[in-house]
Amino acid sequence: MYRLLMVDDEKIVIDSISFIIKNNFPNIIYESARSGKEAIEKASYFRPDIVLMDIRMPGLNGIDTIKELKVNFSETMFIVISAYEQFEFAKEALTLGVIDYILKPMNKNTLIASIEKAINKITKEREKRAKELENLEKFQTTLPLLEHNFLYSLIVDNKNFTITEEYKKLLNIDKLGGYLVAIDINSKDSNSISPSIYYSMRDLLKYKYKCLIGPLVLNRILILINSEPNSSTTDIGNYIIKNLSVLYSSISFKIGIGSYKPLEKIFISYEESLIALRSLSNSNESICHINNIENISVYSSDYPKDVEKKLIEFCTLGETDESLKYFNELFNWIQKNFNNNLMKAKTTLIELLVVLHKSLIDSNINIFYNNEYINSILELQNLNELELWFRDKISSSCVEIRKGHRKNISKIIINAKKYISDNYSLDITLDEIAKEACVSPHYFSRLFKEETGENFIDYLTRVRINKAKDLMQNSNISIKEICYKIGYNDPNYFSRLFKKVQKVSPTDYLKSIMIK
């Protein structure tokens, strides 16, 4: 729907324009004004999309009225009507962005064409704005996922760390470093730890800090504060607890804060934040900065990160034997270092659980651990129970992951076959269908061969030839037309393919059908 305001001091002109609009533009609602002053008053509540403005009126003339209206209605389209073909009027009207200049007496078709021109411009602007809003909404939906992946790559896969200018703009990163904040969320009622906490945390922190916020995994959220080396970190913990405690009175928070590090070494700040967090486990305090912990060296630990990485890699692939092999190596290290400290062993494995859970989520595998698993770990009585519990969960998870991979592969091939069936008449390429399946061409080609027993081109050819045979049997169109209908542009090439598959030329095949 469009709103149009007619401004002219002659009633007969208003009546004529009203009649034309009523009979030609059912999608326009209209108002009229007999002076510039009245036009400004009516526009304040009518908010016109189009204004038909007479130049010569008593009091405020048309040009001055347009100037006043443009202040508050910059997107309104103006069409000037004048009984005078004066160059100066036309020139000034054009400088104001007027889209048309119509001379009185008005021609009906000229007026209709001018209004249609204005409607087309408005429609295009509305579509453009709607597209911009749609893109903005998509971006706002995607942005948390980009943050999660980027933060995860800094912490877990830091050897492959890169940051492009595009990423800096997307994530609003303008500093070369920062510090990690790890927040544990605790509640007597585990159901009260809901996703809403993540969004509350996000709104709260984005308002005050330049930061990246990781997802809520189990009961922990990681935050990267993007800052200068000498920036203060003393207030962030108090700020979070003060504001979130008001929203979630039944929940308590423990906050560990690492030291400033360059982005490529932010994983060290992450490890520090976890150490600070662990120091609060038997304390009434809620906040700890790594600098407040005495006699601790972050670099003294020989924790086998490479073994952990291998464990995660093979578990994500669903490889049970390899996963257990690297878990055994990792657990041997835990036994050696924490043989007399069961809680430290549990904490280390819980942190492994979080990293593994995040890795599986990033790989679109959503069958892994939950809050009940954490409770189960805390109830275990010794290292033997701890080892057996983890071995069992890794083994059963690998089985489920393999099943998930198989289902996913089958779904990809089913969708690919449907796509070929629906689009065989088009110029389908392997790259195109791999893109539809959201996998690489090389991976798709291998999967297709494994699942169907034939390569992509042979399968597509068979579908097309079968369709050609069907057309020969059930239509009267020529072989040449059939060639074009099934996706080939060269009849000679089609004939060669047909003979290769059917051991007979299309012409001979057609003759055999006619004989029957």
Side-chain angles (χ1 to χ4, degrees), residues 124 180 227 240 245 257 291-292 305 314 343-344 351 353 390 393 467 469 500:
K124 286 180 181 177
L180 249 295
S227 66
I240 291 169
S245 295
I257 305 172
N291 292 343
N292 296 333
K305 291 283 290 183
F314 283 107
M343 183 52 68
K344 280 193 175 182
E351 286 165 5
L353 202 65
F390 261 89
K393 289 297 176 287
K467 186 62 182 176
K469 288 162 60 180
K500 181 181 177 182

Side-chain angles (χ1 to χ4, degrees), residues 241-488:
I241 289 175
K242 177 183 175 183
N243 287 277
L244 282 182
S245 295
V246 174
L247 296 173
Y248 303 98
S249 57
S250 64
I251 293 175
S252 63
F253 302 91
K254 297 280 189 180
I255 300 175
I257 305 172
S259 62
Y260 174 90
K261 297 295 175 192
L263 289 178
E264 64 270 20
K265 292 186 177 179
I266 206 70
F267 66 94
I268 297 173
S269 184
Y270 164 66
E271 292 171 356
E272 292 175 337
S273 71
L274 296 183
I275 290 169
L277 199 56
R278 282 200 293 270
S279 74
L280 297 170
S281 58
N282 297 312
S283 168
N284 292 325
E285 298 293 323
S286 299
I287 306 166
C288 180
H289 192 290
I290 189 66
N291 292 343
N292 296 333
I293 301 176
E294 297 179 357
N295 302 320
I296 187 164
S297 171
V298 178
Y299 309 103
S300 63
S301 172
D302 59 345
Y303 180 77
K305 291 283 290 183
D306 56 333
V307 175
E308 179 190 89
K309 190 173 180 180
K310 286 290 185 182
L311 168 59
I312 292 169
E313 178 185 335
F314 283 107
C315 193
T316 304
L317 294 171
E319 298 287 347
T320 305
D321 291 342
E322 290 296 319
S323 297
L324 291 176
K325 170 188 167 184
Y326 287 105
F327 174 74
N328 288 340
E329 285 189 40
L330 193 61
F331 199 81
N332 287 339
W333 182 90
I334 290 172
Q335 281 183 311
K336 179 181 175 182
N337 288 269
F338 304 136
N339 193 41
N340 297 319
N341 193 327
L342 182 60
M343 183 52 68
K344 280 193 175 182
K346 288 181 178 180
T347 304
T348 301
L349 286 173
I350 287 172
E351 286 165 5
L352 169 64
L353 202 65
V354 172
V355 175
L356 186 52
H357 178 81
K358 177 65 171 67
S359 179
L360 292 172
I361 288 174
D362 289 342
S363 299
N364 295 318
I365 301 168
N366 299 312
I367 54 91
F368 217 49
Y369 307 115
N370 53 46
N371 284 322
E372 291 304 314
Y373 283 15
I374 303 296
N375 295 332
S376 298
I377 293 169
L378 294 175
E379 290 172 3
L380 298 175
Q381 300 298 311
N382 54 57
L383 285 175
N384 288 336
E385 289 183 3
L386 196 59
E387 180 184 14
L388 290 172
W389 187 93
F390 261 89
R391 287 180 61 84
D392 176 65
K393 289 297 176 287
I394 288 172
S395 297
S396 59
S397 296
C398 283
V399 171
E400 292 302 314
I401 288 165
R402 286 199 302 276
K403 288 180 182 177
H405 284 325
R406 177 51 56 191
K407 286 180 183 178
N408 191 42
I409 288 169
S410 298
K411 186 177 179 182
I412 287 173
I413 301 307
I414 289 168
N415 290 340
K417 285 182 174 180
K418 185 178 186 307
Y419 185 83
I420 292 170
S421 177
D422 294 342
N423 299 280
Y424 64 86
S425 61
L426 304 177
D427 183 20
I428 302 174
T429 65
L430 186 140
D431 284 358
E432 178 186 351
I433 203 164
K435 186 177 180 181
E436 285 288 326
C438 298
V439 294
S440 72
H442 176 76
Y443 181 62
F444 173 78
S445 179
R446 180 167 63 81
L447 280 184
F448 197 90
K449 177 75 172 178
E450 289 175 357
E451 287 289 304
T452 65
E454 58 187 327
N455 64 40
F456 165 73
I457 290 298
D458 288 344
Y459 181 85
L460 175 61
T461 300
R462 184 163 60 80
V463 169
R464 285 172 167 172
I465 296 301
N466 285 339
K467 186 62 182 176
K469 288 162 60 180
D470 181 62
L471 289 171
M472 288 179 191
Q473 293 175 19
N474 299 295
S475 72
N476 295 319
I477 61 177
S478 69
I479 291 174
K480 189 174 182 179
E481 288 176 293
I482 289 173
C483 165
Y484 297 140
K485 273 186 173 293
I486 65 170
Y488 295 117

